[in-house]
PDB file of all heavy atoms in Angstrom:
ATOM      1  N   THR K   2     -11.243  -0.481  32.179  1.00  0.00           N
ATOM      2  CA  THR K   2     -11.060  -1.491  31.021  1.00  0.00           C
ATOM      3  C   THR K   2      -9.769  -0.907  30.263  1.00  0.00           C
ATOM      4  O   THR K   2      -9.684   0.242  29.934  1.00  0.00           O
ATOM      5  CB  THR K   2     -12.215  -1.484  30.139  1.00  0.00           C
ATOM      6  OG1 THR K   2     -13.302  -1.946  30.925  1.00  0.00           O
ATOM      7  CG2 THR K   2     -11.967  -2.506  28.927  1.00  0.00           C
ATOM      8  N   GLN K   3      -8.845  -1.827  29.846  1.00  0.00           N
ATOM      9  CA  GLN K   3      -7.734  -1.451  29.206  1.00  0.00           C
ATOM     10  C   GLN K   3      -7.666  -1.592  27.735  1.00  0.00           C
ATOM     11  O   GLN K   3      -6.878  -1.105  26.972  1.00  0.00           O
ATOM     12  CB  GLN K   3      -6.514  -2.296  29.715  1.00  0.00           C
ATOM     13  CG  GLN K   3      -6.304  -2.196  31.152  1.00  0.00           C
ATOM     14  CD  GLN K   3      -5.937  -0.835  31.691  1.00  0.00           C
ATOM     15  OE1 GLN K   3      -4.922  -0.243  31.005  1.00  0.00           O
ATOM     16  NE2 GLN K   3      -6.556  -0.215  32.587  1.00  0.00           N
ATOM     17  N   TRP K   4      -8.703  -2.277  27.150  1.00  0.00           N
ATOM     18  CA  TRP K   4      -8.840  -2.423  25.730  1.00  0.00           C
ATOM     19  C   TRP K   4      -9.629  -1.397  24.996  1.00  0.00           C
ATOM     20  O   TRP K   4     -10.467  -0.706  25.669  1.00  0.00           O
ATOM     21  CB  TRP K   4      -9.395  -3.774  25.483  1.00  0.00           C
ATOM     22  CG  TRP K   4     -10.696  -4.184  26.048  1.00  0.00           C
ATOM     23  CD1 TRP K   4     -10.883  -4.808  27.283  1.00  0.00           C
ATOM     24  CD2 TRP K   4     -12.000  -3.996  25.585  1.00  0.00           C
ATOM     25  NE1 TRP K   4     -12.174  -4.922  27.501  1.00  0.00           N
ATOM     26  CE2 TRP K   4     -13.015  -4.473  26.450  1.00  0.00           C
ATOM     27  CE3 TRP K   4     -12.446  -3.408  24.313  1.00  0.00           C
ATOM     28  CZ2 TRP K   4     -14.324  -4.359  26.260  1.00  0.00           C
ATOM     29  CZ3 TRP K   4     -13.920  -3.297  24.199  1.00  0.00           C
ATOM     30  CH2 TRP K   4     -14.733  -3.742  25.138  1.00  0.00           C
ATOM     31  N   THR K   5      -9.171  -1.090  23.721  1.00  0.00           N
ATOM     32  CA  THR K   5      -9.782   0.070  23.126  1.00  0.00           C
ATOM     33  C   THR K   5     -10.586  -0.407  21.845  1.00  0.00           C
ATOM     34  O   THR K   5     -11.194   0.340  21.173  1.00  0.00           O
ATOM     35  CB  THR K   5      -8.766   1.097  22.660  1.00  0.00           C
ATOM     36  OG1 THR K   5      -7.695   0.452  21.858  1.00  0.00           O
ATOM     37  CG2 THR K   5      -8.016   1.692  23.908  1.00  0.00           C
ATOM     38  N   SER K   6     -10.336  -1.622  21.406  1.00  0.00           N
ATOM     39  CA  SER K   6     -11.102  -2.264  20.271  1.00  0.00           C
ATOM     40  C   SER K   6     -11.306  -3.627  20.601  1.00  0.00           C
ATOM     41  O   SER K   6     -10.801  -4.285  21.587  1.00  0.00           O
ATOM     42  CB  SER K   6     -10.410  -1.960  19.009  1.00  0.00           C
ATOM     43  OG  SER K   6      -9.157  -2.749  18.986  1.00  0.00           O
ATOM     44  N   ALA K   7     -12.109  -4.391  19.796  1.00  0.00           N
ATOM     45  CA  ALA K   7     -12.333  -5.871  19.931  1.00  0.00           C
ATOM     46  C   ALA K   7     -12.080  -6.532  18.723  1.00  0.00           C
ATOM     47  O   ALA K   7     -12.450  -6.060  17.560  1.00  0.00           O
ATOM     48  CB  ALA K   7     -13.697  -6.078  20.575  1.00  0.00           C
ATOM     49  N   VAL K   8     -11.709  -7.818  18.758  1.00  0.00           N
ATOM     50  CA  VAL K   8     -11.612  -8.677  17.547  1.00  0.00           C
ATOM     51  C   VAL K   8     -12.489  -9.883  17.723  1.00  0.00           C
ATOM     52  O   VAL K   8     -12.467 -10.496  18.772  1.00  0.00           O
ATOM     53  CB  VAL K   8     -10.132  -9.177  17.452  1.00  0.00           C
ATOM     54  CG1 VAL K   8     -10.009 -10.123  16.177  1.00  0.00           C
ATOM     55  CG2 VAL K   8      -9.043  -8.112  17.222  1.00  0.00           C
ATOM     56  N   GLY K   9     -13.470 -10.039  16.768  1.00  0.00           N
ATOM     57  CA  GLY K   9     -14.386 -11.119  16.889  1.00  0.00           C
ATOM     58  C   GLY K   9     -13.786 -12.500  16.632  1.00  0.00           C
ATOM     59  O   GLY K   9     -12.580 -12.618  16.000  1.00  0.00           O
ATOM     60  N   ALA K  10     -14.318 -13.543  17.202  1.00  0.00           N
ATOM     61  CA  ALA K  10     -13.775 -14.875  17.079  1.00  0.00           C
ATOM     62  C   ALA K  10     -13.741 -15.411  15.677  1.00  0.00           C
ATOM     63  O   ALA K  10     -12.586 -15.927  15.241  1.00  0.00           O
ATOM     64  CB  ALA K  10     -14.656 -15.846  17.896  1.00  0.00           C
ATOM     65  N   SER K  11     -14.711 -15.180  14.883  1.00  0.00           N
ATOM     66  CA  SER K  11     -14.663 -15.590  13.493  1.00  0.00           C
ATOM     67  C   SER K  11     -13.532 -14.865  12.754  1.00  0.00           C
ATOM     68  O   SER K  11     -12.908 -15.396  11.825  1.00  0.00           O
ATOM     69  CB  SER K  11     -16.010 -15.445  12.846  1.00  0.00           C
ATOM     70  OG  SER K  11     -16.424 -14.078  12.836  1.00  0.00           O
ATOM     71  N   GLN K  12     -13.486 -13.531  12.847  1.00  0.00           N
ATOM     72  CA  GLN K  12     -12.516 -12.682  12.222  1.00  0.00           C
ATOM     73  C   GLN K  12     -10.975 -13.213  12.601  1.00  0.00           C
ATOM     74  O   GLN K  12     -10.220 -13.346  11.688  1.00  0.00           O
ATOM     75  CB  GLN K  12     -12.558 -11.201  12.628  1.00  0.00           C
ATOM     76  CG  GLN K  12     -11.498 -10.310  11.973  1.00  0.00           C
ATOM     77  CD  GLN K  12     -11.487  -8.867  12.498  1.00  0.00           C
ATOM     78  OE1 GLN K  12     -12.383  -8.636  13.332  1.00  0.00           O
ATOM     79  NE2 GLN K  12     -10.679  -8.114  12.067  1.00  0.00           N
ATOM     80  N   LEU K  13     -10.733 -13.341  13.932  1.00  0.00           N
ATOM     81  CA  LEU K  13      -9.529 -13.893  14.319  1.00  0.00           C
ATOM     82  C   LEU K  13      -9.263 -15.374  13.785  1.00  0.00           C
ATOM     83  O   LEU K  13      -8.008 -15.648  13.304  1.00  0.00           O
ATOM     84  CB  LEU K  13      -9.358 -13.936  15.775  1.00  0.00           C
ATOM     85  CG  LEU K  13      -8.014 -14.174  16.422  1.00  0.00           C
ATOM     86  CD1 LEU K  13      -6.914 -13.217  15.917  1.00  0.00           C
ATOM     87  CD2 LEU K  13      -8.071 -14.178  18.024  1.00  0.00           C
ATOM     88  N   ALA K  14     -10.215 -16.138  13.734  1.00  0.00           N
ATOM     89  CA  ALA K  14      -9.908 -17.468  13.228  1.00  0.00           C
ATOM     90  C   ALA K  14      -9.739 -17.426  11.732  1.00  0.00           C
ATOM     91  O   ALA K  14      -8.835 -18.295  11.312  1.00  0.00           O
ATOM     92  CB  ALA K  14     -11.322 -18.265  13.465  1.00  0.00           C
ATOM     93  N   ARG K  15     -10.256 -16.542  11.005  1.00  0.00           N
ATOM     94  CA  ARG K  15      -9.889 -16.521   9.556  1.00  0.00           C
ATOM     95  C   ARG K  15      -8.384 -15.973   9.484  1.00  0.00           C
ATOM     96  O   ARG K  15      -7.634 -16.514   8.557  1.00  0.00           O
ATOM     97  CB  ARG K  15     -10.892 -15.450   8.800  1.00  0.00           C
ATOM     98  CG  ARG K  15     -12.212 -15.891   8.594  1.00  0.00           C
ATOM     99  CD  ARG K  15     -12.994 -15.071   7.541  1.00  0.00           C
ATOM    100  NE  ARG K  15     -13.047 -13.759   7.992  1.00  0.00           N
ATOM    101  CZ  ARG K  15     -14.028 -13.297   8.737  1.00  0.00           C
ATOM    102  NH1 ARG K  15     -15.020 -14.037   9.123  1.00  0.00           N
ATOM    103  NH2 ARG K  15     -14.074 -11.920   9.156  1.00  0.00           N
ATOM    104  N   GLN K  16      -8.070 -15.044  10.106  1.00  0.00           N
ATOM    105  CA  GLN K  16      -6.595 -14.544  10.043  1.00  0.00           C
ATOM    106  C   GLN K  16      -5.591 -15.560  10.499  1.00  0.00           C
ATOM    107  O   GLN K  16      -4.618 -15.692   9.808  1.00  0.00           O
ATOM    108  CB  GLN K  16      -6.455 -13.274  10.958  1.00  0.00           C
ATOM    109  CG  GLN K  16      -7.221 -12.179  10.402  1.00  0.00           C
ATOM    110  CD  GLN K  16      -7.092 -10.891  11.199  1.00  0.00           C
ATOM    111  OE1 GLN K  16      -7.457 -10.829  12.415  1.00  0.00           O
ATOM    112  NE2 GLN K  16      -6.399  -9.803  10.603  1.00  0.00           N
ATOM    113  N   LEU K  17      -5.985 -16.301  11.589  1.00  0.00           N
ATOM    114  CA  LEU K  17      -5.074 -17.423  11.962  1.00  0.00           C
ATOM    115  C   LEU K  17      -5.096 -18.575  10.998  1.00  0.00           C
ATOM    116  O   LEU K  17      -3.931 -19.136  10.757  1.00  0.00           O
ATOM    117  CB  LEU K  17      -5.483 -17.938  13.310  1.00  0.00           C
ATOM    118  CG  LEU K  17      -5.345 -16.887  14.522  1.00  0.00           C
ATOM    119  CD1 LEU K  17      -6.045 -17.278  15.795  1.00  0.00           C
ATOM    120  CD2 LEU K  17      -3.818 -16.733  14.893  1.00  0.00           C
ATOM    121  N   THR K  18      -6.167 -18.832  10.415  1.00  0.00           N
ATOM    122  CA  THR K  18      -6.097 -20.103   9.626  1.00  0.00           C
ATOM    123  C   THR K  18      -5.363 -19.823   8.201  1.00  0.00           C
ATOM    124  O   THR K  18      -4.753 -20.703   7.752  1.00  0.00           O
ATOM    125  CB  THR K  18      -7.651 -20.476   9.219  1.00  0.00           C
ATOM    126  OG1 THR K  18      -8.379 -20.748  10.337  1.00  0.00           O
ATOM    127  CG2 THR K  18      -7.714 -21.589   8.306  1.00  0.00           C
ATOM    128  N   SER K  19      -5.430 -18.566   7.786  1.00  0.00           N
ATOM    129  CA  SER K  19      -4.680 -18.186   6.671  1.00  0.00           C
ATOM    130  C   SER K  19      -3.166 -18.367   6.735  1.00  0.00           C
ATOM    131  O   SER K  19      -2.504 -18.461   5.749  1.00  0.00           O
ATOM    132  CB  SER K  19      -5.051 -16.750   6.235  1.00  0.00           C
ATOM    133  OG  SER K  19      -4.320 -15.820   7.099  1.00  0.00           O
ATOM    134  N   GLN K  20      -2.726 -18.320   8.013  1.00  0.00           N
ATOM    135  CA  GLN K  20      -1.129 -18.436   8.237  1.00  0.00           C
ATOM    136  C   GLN K  20      -0.691 -19.789   8.055  1.00  0.00           C
ATOM    137  O   GLN K  20       0.554 -19.976   8.005  1.00  0.00           O
ATOM    138  CB  GLN K  20      -0.900 -17.904   9.676  1.00  0.00           C
ATOM    139  CG  GLN K  20      -1.160 -16.491   9.911  1.00  0.00           C
ATOM    140  CD  GLN K  20      -0.705 -16.144  11.327  1.00  0.00           C
ATOM    141  OE1 GLN K  20      -0.603 -16.928  12.238  1.00  0.00           O
ATOM    142  NE2 GLN K  20      -0.565 -14.843  11.506  1.00  0.00           N
ATOM    143  N   GLN K  21      -1.478 -20.785   7.932  1.00  0.00           N
ATOM    144  CA  GLN K  21      -1.056 -22.147   7.885  1.00  0.00           C
ATOM    145  C   GLN K  21      -0.150 -22.401   6.715  1.00  0.00           C
ATOM    146  O   GLN K  21      -0.399 -22.047   5.563  1.00  0.00           O
ATOM    147  CB  GLN K  21      -2.239 -23.175   7.792  1.00  0.00           C
ATOM    148  CG  GLN K  21      -3.125 -23.110   9.074  1.00  0.00           C
ATOM    149  CD  GLN K  21      -4.217 -24.034   8.942  1.00  0.00           C
ATOM    150  OE1 GLN K  21      -4.625 -24.501   7.854  1.00  0.00           O
ATOM    151  NE2 GLN K  21      -4.963 -24.193  10.080  1.00  0.00           N
ATOM    152  N   SER K  22       1.060 -22.959   6.936  1.00  0.00           N
ATOM    153  CA  SER K  22       1.951 -23.203   5.791  1.00  0.00           C
ATOM    154  C   SER K  22       1.662 -24.559   5.242  1.00  0.00           C
ATOM    155  O   SER K  22       0.741 -25.136   5.518  1.00  0.00           O
ATOM    156  CB  SER K  22       3.453 -23.183   6.457  1.00  0.00           C
ATOM    157  OG  SER K  22       3.626 -21.940   7.169  1.00  0.00           O
TER     158      SER K  22
END
Side-chain angles (χ1 to χ4, degrees):
T2 302
Q3 301 297 309
W4 51 271
T5 57
S6 62
V8 181
S11 58
Q12 177 190 359
L13 184 58
R15 285 195 302 272
Q16 291 180 296
L17 290 166
T18 302
S19 73
Q20 291 180 344
Q21 294 176 352
S22 302

